[in-house]
Amino acid sequence: MNRALPTLATALVLAALPACSSGQHASAPSAGAPDNTVIVFAAASLKKTFSQIGDQFRKDNPGASVEFSFAGSADLVTQLTQGAHADVFASADTKNMDKAAAAGLLAGQPVNFASNTLTIAVAPGNPKKINSFRDLTNPGVSVVACAPQVPCGAATQKVETASGVDLHPVSEESSVTDVLGKVTSGQADAGLVYVTDTAAAGDKVTSVPFPEASGAVNTYPIATLVQAKNPALAARFVDFVTGPTGQRILGQAGFGKP
């Protein structure tokens, strides 16, 4: 891509609000949520696993709730700096967490809880015969990627720089789920997503691993926010994510250790 990069103990859930895969809120969490509700802003790539974690919270701890809002990490930081209320922020990279810290949003040090690696998502059976990162530049291959300010986009740029391969995506998306959607809907031949995304998609796509991805692994941090209405409950959510149950669910989804 020839473009510039722009300038913790258990939480409980009665209901996890759904969020659409486009990176926009299906239903934005309420700023007037009661003190027994933890509002979690989380990277789009965490939607399936955090929803499962939420289900486990509800089973273990009836009485409190967690509301989720999933979107691209950069979009979430923008919403937070513009006044959106949340109690916990989980980013798909350290860069956007650092932005939240610089804006004075964090109540303490973030904790790394997972990592993720890029892969190439293609149509089932790989009809375009894409077998390498360089093959994404083959004539007649339409590629879609995350925008550079999004963690998956920054990782893609890092691979481009290291490999000397310059991609020319037909579109740049605000979240990794949008990239995957372009491939599953047939709007693009290939997309740069995380290994967890292709695993969750099942037979809707084929995953094409490439060795260069090992040089652009994203680390996921999570932190409580200064505006949390119930800091102890927010901290318990973070503890659950970083504890045995959360780590088991994340690992089963394909996330690596931080």
Side-chain angles (χ1 to χ4, degrees):
M1 288 173 276
N2 186 14
R3 57 194 187 278
L5 184 63
T7 68
L8 299 304
T10 309
L12 321 159
V13 183
L14 290 177
L17 293 187
C20 59
S21 61
S22 67
Q24 302 297 320
H25 305 316
S27 180
S30 170
D35 289 350
N36 67 337
T37 297
V38 179
I39 298 175
V40 181
F41 275 26
S45 52
L46 293 166
K47 181 179 180 180
K48 183 176 181 179
T49 49
F50 268 35
S51 295
Q52 292 175 344
I53 287 172
D55 289 340
Q56 190 61 51
F57 291 155
R58 177 181 54 78
K59 293 175 183 177
D60 292 352
N61 301 285
S65 66
V66 177
E67 295 184 3
F68 293 106
S69 182
F70 300 99
S73 297
D75 285 346
L76 293 174
V77 172
T78 297
Q79 293 170 32
L80 289 170
T81 57
Q82 291 179 349
H85 175 77
D87 304 300
V88 174
F89 174 44
S91 174
D93 66 349
T94 57
K95 179 179 179 180
N96 280 289
M97 184 63 76
D98 288 345
K99 289 180 179 179
L105 297 172
L106 307 188
Q109 289 295 319
V111 180
N112 296 331
F113 67 94
S115 62
N116 218 342
T117 306
L118 289 176
T119 189
I120 302 168
V122 298
N126 194 5
K128 292 287 185 174
K129 306 302 179 186
I130 297 169
N131 297 305
S132 69
F133 188 74
R134 187 171 294 276
D135 284 351
L136 295 175
T137 64
N138 289 346
V141 174
S142 60
V143 181
V144 64
C146 291
Q149 69 269 23
V150 182
C152 57
T156 299
Q157 282 199 324
K158 190 172 183 179
V159 172
E160 288 181 88
T161 300
S163 64
V165 175
D166 187 19
L167 301 182
H168 299 279
V170 295
S171 70
E172 295 178 343
E173 305 299 326
S174 63
S175 77
V176 70
T177 49
D178 289 348
V179 174
L180 186 66
K182 292 282 188 178
V183 178
T184 58
S185 65
Q187 298 179 68
D189 298 317
L192 274 300
V193 300
Y194 296 119
V195 294
T196 54
D197 296 302
T198 55
D203 58 7
K204 293 181 180 180
V205 296
T206 291
S207 176
V208 181
F210 56 101
E212 297 92 339
S214 64
V217 177
N218 277 359
T219 298
Y220 286 56
I222 188 170
T224 57
L225 301 177
V226 294
Q227 59 181 283
K229 292 184 177 181
N230 188 333
L233 191 59
R236 290 203 297 271
F237 179 88
V238 174
D239 280 347
F240 195 91
V241 172
T242 60
T245 301
Q247 291 298 291
R248 173 180 56 80
I249 293 171
L250 287 159
Q252 289 172 342
F255 285 93
K257 293 295 183 180

